[in-house]
Amino acid sequence: QVQLVESGGGLVQAGGSLRLSCAASGSIFRINAMGWYRQAPGKQRELVAIITSNGSQNYADSVKGRFTISRDNAKNTVYLQMNSLEPEDTAVYYCNADLRRFSWSTRDNYWGQGTQVTVSS
């Protein structure tokens, strides 16, 4: 079983910062990539940022220059440093991991429970 546990969400004023964390635990052979998605009320879930095992990063245009994704491979943990937050960033943020549980397993995606980020104007 694989579990993703998120933390760091909360309420912040526009221009402020938050740091999200997501730790993967359970039976994990190798994590190929970890990322963050978000979903605002009435909107589709969208990619925020993703980081691969070799450190390659990809960001949504709306967060480039403001958010930074990083990972600690030894801890199976991914972080999202969010600076210069805007009200438009308000959403539930979900952690995602693309991983193999065993060397012979297929690659599967797992999701965290989500953490609320609210940015006031």
Side-chain angles (χ1 to χ4, degrees):
Q1 183 174 327
V2 175
Q3 184 178 27
L4 304 181
V5 180
E6 300 154 325
S7 62
L11 175 64
V12 65
Q13 294 186 33
S17 299
L18 286 173
R19 183 173 182 259
L20 306 183
S21 299
C22 173
S25 62
S27 180
I28 300 172
F29 173 71
R30 183 170 296 158
I31 297 177
N32 300 301
M34 298 186 75
W36 291 94
Y37 293 71
R38 68 186 182 187
Q39 187 167 22
K43 295 185 177 181
Q44 299 276 66
R45 187 173 299 186
E46 64 176 353
L47 173 69
V48 177
I50 190 168
I51 185 167
T52 64
S53 59
N54 65 359
S56 179
Q57 303 167 37
N58 187 42
Y59 297 90
D61 289 340
S62 59
V63 307
K64 286 181 179 178
R66 299 188 297 118
F67 292 9
T68 302
I69 190 169
S70 62
R71 65 185 291 177
D72 185 334
N73 291 337
K75 297 180 179 179
N76 288 334
T77 299
V78 64
Y79 306 93
L80 185 67
Q81 179 66 46
M82 304 185 293
N83 298 325
S84 301
L85 283 162
E86 305 168 352
E88 292 74 20
D89 296 317
T90 296
V92 177
Y93 284 69
Y94 296 91
C95 178
N96 175 267
D98 177 39
L99 59 84
R100 296 179 186 269
R101 296 186 65 194
F102 308 97
S103 62
W104 58 87
S105 300
T106 59
R107 289 167 55 177
D108 293 313
N109 274 278
Y110 297 85
W111 292 92
Q113 79 287 348
T115 184
Q116 178 70 49
V117 172
T118 303
V119 184
S120 62
S121 60

